[in-house]
Amino acid sequence: MGFDQLPLKSLFTGAENALLSMLADAPAEAVEKAHEYKILRDVLDGTSAAVAILDERLRFRYVNDAMARMGGVPPDAFHGRTMAEVLPGIHRSEDVLRMILGDGCPRALSVTGTTHAPSPFRQRQWSAVYHRLDHGGRVLGLCGIAVEVSGLRQYMDDLERAHQRLALLDTAATRVGTTLRVEQTCAELADFVVPSLADRASVRIVDTQEADDLPPPAPGVLRLRVMASAGGPDIVARIGLTAKNGYYFDVPRDSPVRSCLDTGRPWVGNLASDDVLLKMLRTPLDLDVVREVGIHSIVVVPLPTREHPVGVLHLFRAGDSAPFTDEDVVIAQELAARAAVAIDNARQYTLEHSMALELQRALLSEPGGPHPDVETASRYLPAGQRALVGGDWFDSMALPCGRTLQVMGDVMGHGFTAAVAMSQYRSLLRTIAASGVPVERILQEADHRLASIGLDRVATCLLALVDPGQGTCTFAGAGHPPPVLLHPDAPAELVHIPTGPPLGTDLGWYEALTLPVRPGTVLLMYTDGLVEDRRRDIDASLRRLTHLRLDLDGPLESVVDALLARLVHGTTEDDVTLLATRLRAP
């Protein structure tokens, strides 16, 4: 008995789907001619589910209208043919279908691929259920019912990609911009996008400073500097760069890179032709280099800030890698936007920090120095990574009769206001000291004058008048940490001097203390940044100074370096300023 002799009720025996139950009540006619009967047309062709009947060789014997619409071919085109012959773009497991034919157990499976029918989905997918068809103990074929789930699948895929995208951006937040160094921030960005987004990458920053060994760019030409690259051999140094300095190259107005910087929009060159790449690379030699390493697609993304882009991110794909998708470009833009903020902050910090240190050094290196028989060495260490000047200062003044006045001071607070106040303190102390009055009178007069000026920042100060002829040192202090005498043949000595209130209060009455000082002894004056530590009592920090055992026979600069190596580890909570003084041997 064949398909055309089977009653429909026995044909669908055992089918669990409700549609098959309805079909079981249809007239007993041949399956091949089932479409001729109205009840089958009403039931099968009226449903949105795709229904197909296959024989034991998996050839179509019947499909409904929904199946025909799904495939984009008429129903007759299915008759007597396999799925691979009618719809070669559909992928389903033939092994699973043969398992159903063998054991009779219904199974659900996922079917994917493309058909001849137009579809709004990138990838089509169906959920299908197959049942074996038996009659009289004989296996006749299969009945399959499929419902398209492409919309749900695409939604799930989009959701998964969104999660991956957020995870990528979250990871970038912890790996890009970890420091305030421009070079390292650019390197972190290049390393992050390879290989997650590209096979090779480079970060190029708009150069705002003229290079000493390069002529300035022509009018209308923008100069970029390659700050970092990642991924395989470094081709960046060979593409579009000057021969003399491999880190700079000029961008004319008609370049795609310049367009990115001017418009803030990315440039995409997927599977770009030689003509297109030449617009980016400028020379046939650069094109040969790109083709040599197998690069076929390039994306250039600007690094945007509020005012203007700070540079561009170049992404390269080569070899078997797929071209960049629209989603890849969007992710690259988001990464570039986040990285640009870190790069701009780092560049701004570098500029401000350099200016601040230059200002601080200029203030600390004004004219002045000791007598030839007095040796000095100094250090200034700014606290942490602040891009601000501070109020620390030191001075060395040669006075009549071979005497030298050493000054150490610290204006309250930080920043340019403190630096300006420090300059006023320093100038006033110099003026008063030049009159030749004793050190305690210098502090007294300075305290009174500064209070009358109305400075809103007080300062601590320590004076040490070194007299090589007498072999003495006279001290006077205004609220400043005590000095230390480092003896070559005895323990270090903390000098407890009478100390008055800080300068600028107009409350001071200062006293002097004179001690003998031998040649070879080092006088150490410092600001409180050297000894203040939240984890340690100030008295304990001062006692550490008396436990120092240093070789004092070498150069004074080496003594200061050794002292800092013993006392300063990492960044400090406050600026550290040191002034070391040693009498030369007669």
Side-chain angles (χ1 to χ4, degrees):
M1 182 180 295
F3 271 98
D4 52 353
Q5 282 86 40
L6 286 176
L8 289 179
K9 185 170 184 179
S10 62
L11 185 66
F12 293 103
T13 298
E16 299 173 0
N17 189 279
L19 177 59
L20 296 181
S21 298
M22 296 174 62
L23 292 177
D25 296 327
E29 298 293 343
V31 174
E32 279 188 346
K33 300 180 179 180
H35 61 280
E36 298 177 5
Y37 297 94
K38 184 177 184 303
I39 183 171
L40 289 180
R41 290 200 302 270
D42 291 343
V43 174
L44 295 178
D45 297 339
T47 180
S48 60
V51 180
I53 296 177
L54 312 175
D55 63 18
E56 69 277 10
R57 298 174 62 184
L58 303 182
R59 296 175 301 184
F60 288 104
R61 306 306 298 267
Y62 169 78
V63 296
N64 69 342
D65 286 350
M67 180 72 178
R69 289 193 301 270
M70 176 205 77
V73 295
D76 293 342
F78 286 85
H79 184 72
R81 303 171 70 190
T82 64
M83 178 72 81
E85 294 171 336
V86 183
L87 300 174
I90 293 295
H91 310 289
R92 69 179 180 186
S93 176
E94 302 291 327
D95 292 338
V96 173
L97 298 184
R98 298 189 187 283
M99 290 172 60
I100 301 172
L101 287 172
D103 59 23
C105 295
R107 287 179 175 86
L109 68 156
S110 179
V111 180
T112 61
T114 59
T115 69
H116 301 294
S119 174
F121 304 110
R122 297 186 299 268
Q123 177 75 13
R124 301 187 73 179
Q125 182 170 344
W126 295 266
S127 180
V129 177
Y130 283 87
H131 296 261
R132 190 175 74 179
L133 302 177
D134 303 304
H135 182 74
R138 179 185 174 190
V139 176
L140 299 179
L142 299 174
C143 175
I145 303 175
V147 177
E148 185 167 7
V149 293
S150 302
L152 178 60
R153 180 70 265 168
Q154 181 168 310
Y155 170 78
M156 297 300 295
D157 290 344
D158 291 343
L159 186 61
E160 178 63 23
R161 281 192 293 270
H163 287 164
Q164 294 175 354
R165 175 175 167 184
L166 290 175
L168 184 67
L169 295 175
D170 287 342
T171 304
T174 62
R175 291 177 51 185
V176 180
T178 62
T179 71
L180 287 174
R181 294 179 53 205
V182 176
E183 293 83 358
Q184 185 167 344
T185 302
C186 293
E188 290 171 346
L189 174 60
D191 291 338
F192 183 79
V193 297
V194 175
S196 61
L197 205 58
D199 298 317
R200 292 179 173 88
S202 70
V203 182
R204 310 177 185 189
I205 301 300
V206 176
D207 188 51
T208 56
Q209 299 179 352
E210 294 185 1
D212 296 334
D213 55 349
L214 289 176
V221 174
L222 190 65
R223 178 161 290 171
L224 298 181
R225 184 157 80 101
V226 177
M227 301 297 291
S229 60
D234 184 10
I235 65 165
V236 174
R238 301 166 58 189
I239 297 178
L241 307 181
T242 60
K244 188 174 182 180
N245 189 324
Y247 294 96
Y248 292 89
F249 67 98
D250 295 334
V251 179
R253 290 189 181 276
D254 60 344
S255 167
V257 175
R258 185 64 178 271
S259 176
C260 286
L261 292 169
D262 292 342
T263 64
R265 294 192 296 269
W267 181 86
V268 181
N270 272 330
L271 303 176
S273 64
D274 290 352
D275 292 339
V276 172
L277 286 183
L278 272 176
K279 295 181 181 179
M280 170 68 67
L281 304 173
R282 311 303 299 176
T283 70
L285 179 61
D286 296 336
L287 177 63
D288 292 340
V289 172
V290 167
R291 294 308 192 193
E292 178 186 339
V293 296
I295 291 176
H296 55 72
S297 299
I298 302 176
V299 167
V300 183
V301 180
L303 299 168
T305 61
R306 290 183 179 179
E307 297 179 357
H308 49 74
V310 296
V312 290
L313 169 65
H314 279 64
L315 302 175
F316 305 89
R317 285 190 177 173
D320 297 333
S321 297
F324 293 96
T325 65
D326 292 341
E327 186 174 1
D328 293 332
V329 177
V330 171
I331 294 176
Q333 286 181 279
E334 294 188 14
L335 288 173
R338 296 190 179 196
V341 175
I343 293 173
D344 192 44
N345 289 341
R347 190 166 66 169
Q348 188 68 21
Y349 164 79
T350 301
L351 176 62
E352 293 179 356
H353 190 65
S354 300
M355 293 176 57
L357 290 181
E358 287 298 323
L359 175 60
Q360 186 79 40
R361 293 189 179 102
L363 291 172
L364 294 177
S365 61
E366 293 179 6
H371 282 289
D373 50 8
V374 174
E375 184 182 3
T376 64
S378 60
R379 293 290 186 275
Y380 170 71
L381 304 177
Q385 294 185 337
R386 290 180 292 105
L388 296 174
V389 294
D392 291 7
W393 90 91
F394 61 86
D395 206 347
S396 185
M397 298 176 58
L399 298 178
C401 303
R403 298 175 302 164
T404 296
L405 180 65
Q406 302 291 77
V407 182
M408 177 63 64
D410 185 0
V411 176
M412 179 184 67
H414 297 93
F416 289 99
T417 304
V420 171
M422 174 262 282
S423 179
Q424 292 176 295
Y425 274 93
R426 184 177 186 179
S427 299
L428 182 58
L429 283 170
R430 280 187 171 185
T431 301
I432 299 173
S435 66
V437 298
V439 289
E440 68 273 18
R441 287 286 305 278
I442 295 176
L443 294 179
Q444 184 74 37
E445 184 68 18
D447 178 51
H448 177 70
R449 291 192 190 183
L450 290 167
S452 63
I453 293 175
L455 288 179
D456 59 351
R457 293 175 183 263
V458 299
T460 64
C461 185
L462 175 63
L463 303 182
L465 183 63
V466 182
D467 190 340
Q470 299 294 325
T472 62
C473 184
T474 302
F475 301 94
H480 202 83
V484 175
L485 292 176
L486 304 175
H487 302 292
D489 52 2
E493 176 186 358
L494 193 66
V495 182
H496 297 283
I497 64 174
T499 183
L503 300 179
T505 62
D506 204 15
L507 299 173
W509 182 261
Y510 306 94
E511 299 180 33
L513 173 67
T514 301
L515 296 175
V517 177
R518 295 179 299 165
T521 296
V522 175
L523 166 64
L524 179 64
M525 304 165 68
Y526 53 90
T527 55
D528 53 9
L530 183 67
V531 294
E532 283 188 348
D533 190 336
R534 297 177 184 177
R535 300 163 297 180
R536 186 181 291 113
D537 181 74
I538 184 64
D539 293 332
S541 296
L542 291 173
R543 283 194 298 271
R544 290 179 64 203
L545 298 177
T546 63
H547 297 158
L548 291 173
R549 297 292 184 269
L550 301 173
D551 181 9
L552 304 181
D553 294 333
L556 193 56
E557 295 284 347
S558 299
V559 174
V560 172
D561 290 337
L563 186 147
L564 287 173
R566 293 277 297 275
L567 296 179
V568 179
H569 304 284
T571 58
T572 58
E573 298 177 4
D574 197 0
D575 298 343
V576 175
T577 304
L578 293 177
L579 178 61
T581 306
R582 182 170 62 185
L583 290 182
R584 299 182 189 275

